[in-house]
Amino acid sequence: MTPEITPESVYRNRRQIIKASILAGTSLATASLFETFAPRRVMDNTGQALITNPEDFIYPKPGADEPANSFTDIASYNNFYEFSTSKSAVAQAAKNFKTDPWKLEIGGMVGKALLLDLAALRTIETVERIYRMRCVEGWSMVIPWIGFPLRELLERVEPTSAAKYVAFQSYHDLQQMPDSDSAGIPLPYVEGLRLDEAMHPLTLLATGLYGKTLPNQNGAPVRLVVPWKYGFKGIKSIVKITLTDQQPPTTWSTANPDEYGFYSNVNPDVPHPRWSQAHEMRIGETFRRPTLMFNGYGDQVASLYTGMDLKEHF
Ligand code: MTE
C-alpha cells in the first residue's frame, strides 16, 4: 500500500495558515481546515489512517513557532554510524536497509514482556510533534515528527517497582551494515534514560516525519526522540527495550566517558571538552544562535533534575 502523502509545500502552507488563524484568535473550525488541506495520511497495515484527529496537528507544540527544516535537510544530513560516518553518505548507504519484517522486544523488569511487530506498533495512536533538535556537534534542526509517547508502550508492559531505567538497543548486522566495522564506536548502538525521563510526555518513539514513514537514514522503523537532550540520545532502528534497576551503558559515554555523559541534557553552560555548547547553527540559517537550556524545554522538564548538579551529571 502506498501512503498518500501531502507535498511538503502544502504541508508548510497548511501550518502557516493554522498558525495565522491561531494568532488571529479566530475560532476557525479546525475540522474544515483539515478538509481544505487534506492532511496527509500515514496508513497502517489495514489501510486505516494513523492520524485521524485534527487536534494532533494543532497540539501546542513546543517549537511550532519556528519553521521546520525541509524534508531534504532532515533526510540528507544524518548521523547513523552503522551505515557511514559521513553525514551526507548515510542516506545512500541505508537505502536498501530492510525494516520489514521488524520485531521490537520489550522486557526486563516488567509485568508483561512484549514482542511487537510493525503491525502491532502501528496500532498505537500516533501524534505529530514539532521539536527543536540540537546535535552535540553544534548544529540544530526543527523536525516535525510523527510517533507516539514512549510511555504508551511502557505502560503496556507494566514496569515493576524495582525498574528505574530504560535501556535501548539498535539493530546491528554486518551483512546490511558492512561499513559498521570501521565506525569507531562499540556496536550495537545502545542508549538509556531514567524511567521518569522515559515516561515524560515529550519523549517519543518516532515512526515518521513530515507526514512520511520514517526514512531509513533517520532510524526506520522506530527511533527515540528526546528533544531536551543532545541528538545522540535519539537511538535509531530500535530492536530491544529493557527496563532495569541499573543505569544502562550508552554508546557514546562508553566510547568516550570524558566527553559524553549519561544525561546529555542540552546545557549551554557545560562545554564539550573540545568546544563550547553556548551557540548552535540552525541548518539553513547564516548566523549562529544562542543555545537554550534544555534546548528550550526547561518549563516542561527542569523539574526532573531538581537537586542535581548538572555540571557533574552532564
Ligand atoms: N542511532 C544509531 N543506531 N546509530 C547512530 O550512529 N547517531 C546518533 C543518533 N542515533 C546514531 C543513532 C546521533 S550522533 C545523532 S545526532 C542522531 O541520531 C541524528 O539523527 P538524525 O540523523 O535523524 O538527525
Side-chain angles (χ1 to χ4, degrees), residues 124-135:
I124 303 176
E125 196 181 340
T126 311
V127 295
E128 182 199 54
R129 302 273 176 81
I130 302 186
Y131 285 159
R132 287 182 292 276
M133 307 302 295
R134 165 71 155 83
C135 178

Side-chain angles (χ1 to χ4, degrees), residues 10-73:
V10 176
Y11 182 97
R12 284 174 166 246
N13 193 23
R14 189 178 73 228
R15 290 213 52 80
Q16 275 160 12
I17 290 177
I18 292 167
K19 202 172 125 192
S21 69
I22 292 168
L23 287 177
T26 66
S27 58
L28 193 57
T30 52
S32 65
L33 251 184
F34 282 91
E35 276 156 29
T36 312
F37 294 102
R40 73 284 183 274
R41 301 264 189 261
V42 179
M43 300 295 182
D44 71 9
N45 60 328
T46 65
Q48 291 289 312
L50 284 175
I51 295 183
T52 50
N53 180 2
E55 291 297 318
D56 286 340
F57 293 88
I58 55 161
Y59 172 87
K61 306 169 189 87
D65 49 333
E66 297 182 60
N69 278 90
S70 69
F71 181 82
T72 310
D73 284 347

Side-chain angles (χ1 to χ4, degrees), residues 264-275:
S264 307
N265 288 321
V266 174
N267 186 344
D269 302 331
V270 177
H272 183 280
R274 290 182 279 133
W275 59 83

Side-chain angles (χ1 to χ4, degrees), residues 74 77-82 84 134-137 139 141 143 145 170-171 185 187 189 209 217-219 223 230-237 252:
I74 298 166
Y77 191 76
N78 302 102
N79 274 332
F80 202 162
Y81 275 46
E82 289 89 327
S84 172
R134 165 71 155 83
C135 178
V136 76
E137 295 162 336
W139 46 273
M141 293 201 215
I143 303 185
W145 296 107
S170 289
Y171 181 89
I185 53 172
L187 295 172
Y189 197 99
L209 61 83
Q217 59 269 34
N218 293 95
R223 62 90 55 86
Y230 290 114
F232 63 85
K233 295 296 278 188
I235 180 169
K236 296 179 171 183
S237 306
W252 286 103

Side-chain angles (χ1 to χ4, degrees), residues 1 24 35 69 84 88 140 150 171 179 184 206 223-224 263 314:
M1 163 122 19
E35 276 156 29
N69 278 90
S84 172
S88 54
S140 63
L150 172 60
Y171 181 89
D179 290 341
R223 62 90 55 86
L224 183 67
Y263 282 93
F314 61 90

Side-chain angles (χ1 to χ4, degrees), residues 14 47 63 100 113 130 148 154 182 184 201 204 233 265 273 279 296 314:
R14 189 178 73 228
D100 191 1
I130 302 186
F148 52 84
L154 295 179
S182 50
L204 292 189
K233 295 296 278 188
N265 288 321
H279 290 84
F314 61 90

Side-chain angles (χ1 to χ4, degrees), residues 106-186:
I106 309 147
M109 295 181 155
V110 299
K112 284 190 193 161
L114 284 178
L115 183 61
L116 296 175
D117 60 14
L118 277 181
L121 275 179
R122 286 173 179 152
T123 63
I124 303 176
E125 196 181 340
T126 311
V127 295
E128 182 199 54
R129 302 273 176 81
I130 302 186
Y131 285 159
R132 287 182 292 276
M133 307 302 295
R134 165 71 155 83
C135 178
V136 76
E137 295 162 336
W139 46 273
S140 63
M141 293 201 215
V142 176
I143 303 185
W145 296 107
I146 294 177
F148 52 84
L150 172 60
R151 68 178 301 155
E152 300 279 333
L153 203 53
L154 295 179
E155 278 167 359
R156 288 186 191 201
V157 295
E158 298 174 5
T160 67
S161 56
K164 299 283 178 280
Y165 295 91
V166 185
F168 302 86
Q169 186 182 312
S170 289
Y171 181 89
H172 181 230
D173 134 40
L174 277 169
Q175 298 249 296
Q176 290 206 73
M177 299 159 158
D179 290 341
S180 62
D181 249 356
S182 50
I185 53 172

